[in-house]
Each structure stands twice: as structure tokens, then as C-alpha cells.
Amino acid sequence: MDLSIGEVAQRSGLSVHALRFYEREGLFANPVRRLSNGRRVYHEEDLEWLAICTKLRSSGMSLATIRQYIELVRQGPGNEHDRLELLRRHEAHVDSRIRELREALEVMRYKVRIYEEHVGRGEADRLWNPSRPDTPRTGDHQECPQPEGT
């Protein structure tokens, strides 16, 4: 079934502008077909690829790496090991980023807990403020918790 750029935008959640950008950057698995009047024509496979592509982007995969992956796919059979290696490298990157985000979340939870305690006791003015040397050094300046397993 042929789809217009508007239909693809609606179904994919991407803007028309983003779809044009993806096309310019060579990020579609198959070249976008055009009718004689210049209108773009998409297919269900394009939507499936866009779903994958947007997940790769949201996971932090660079446009260059997505382009590299799609070029390998376009080449057809015989380079599956290269594709697998590319995906494994990105998987490791995502795992690392998730660990970093978990550590950052723990720091934020710690800070929220400190602020909740001080605000709840009416002692928010006692939180450490490095730009005010006269502020008592209580609560907020304490060392951040170490992530579990470190």
C-alpha cells in the first residue's frame, strides 16, 4: 500500500521535516520512490524501518553509524558479521550509558531526599550554598552515595 509523507509522519510520529531529513541523509533502507509529480511514496517496510531507526537514534546511535549499518544492509548477504559487530558495539555503548544514568538517578534521589528532609523541617536555609560562605555546611554538601557494587 502506498503512503504519502503526511500519512507516514502521522503513523511514525516523525514530522514531515524529519522524514525529509532522513531521506536527505540516506537513512532509509530503500530509496524513497517519487511519482511523476515529485510526490514521495512510502511503503509499510519504510514504516517498519523508521521504527527501528528512531529507536537506534534514541539509544544514542549516531547518524553516521546508522548510515554505516544501512549501507551494510543494502549490500545484501555476506556482511552479517559486520552488521552484528556494529550492533554489538552499540549495545555495549547503550549498556554503559544505562549504568551512567542509573548512577545519576541515584545522585538525584539522594539530593531530593536531602532537600525533602530540610524543607520538611523548615531548615532549607541551612542547605549548603557555595556562593554564600556563611551558610552552614549541612546536608546538601555531603558526599554523593556510591553506586551499588563499587
Side-chain angles (χ1 to χ4, degrees), residues 55-115:
K55 291 299 180 195
L56 294 174
R57 281 296 294 143
S58 69
S59 71
M61 185 178 278
S62 70
L63 293 177
T65 303
I66 294 173
R67 214 176 287 111
Q68 181 183 2
Y69 174 73
I70 201 63
E71 281 303 316
L72 289 169
V73 170
R74 285 181 190 145
Q75 290 171 14
N79 62 19
E80 292 81 3
H81 291 286
D82 295 330
R83 294 184 221 174
L84 178 59
E85 183 56 34
L86 182 147
L87 293 170
R88 280 183 174 153
R89 278 194 314 267
H90 187 65
E91 178 185 38
H93 168 77
V94 171
D95 280 338
S96 173
R97 186 68 183 126
I98 288 171
R99 278 190 301 280
E100 291 171 10
L101 288 170
R102 281 192 181 124
E103 291 173 13
L105 181 59
E106 285 305 309
V107 169
M108 292 311 305
R109 286 181 174 153
Y110 170 78
K111 303 277 294 164
V112 165
R113 198 168 51 252
I114 294 295
Y115 273 76

Side-chain angles (χ1 to χ4, degrees), residues 112-125 127:
V112 165
R113 198 168 51 252
I114 294 295
Y115 273 76
E116 284 175 342
E117 290 171 6
H118 281 73
V119 169
R121 289 191 310 254
E123 299 175 354
D125 61 329
L127 288 165

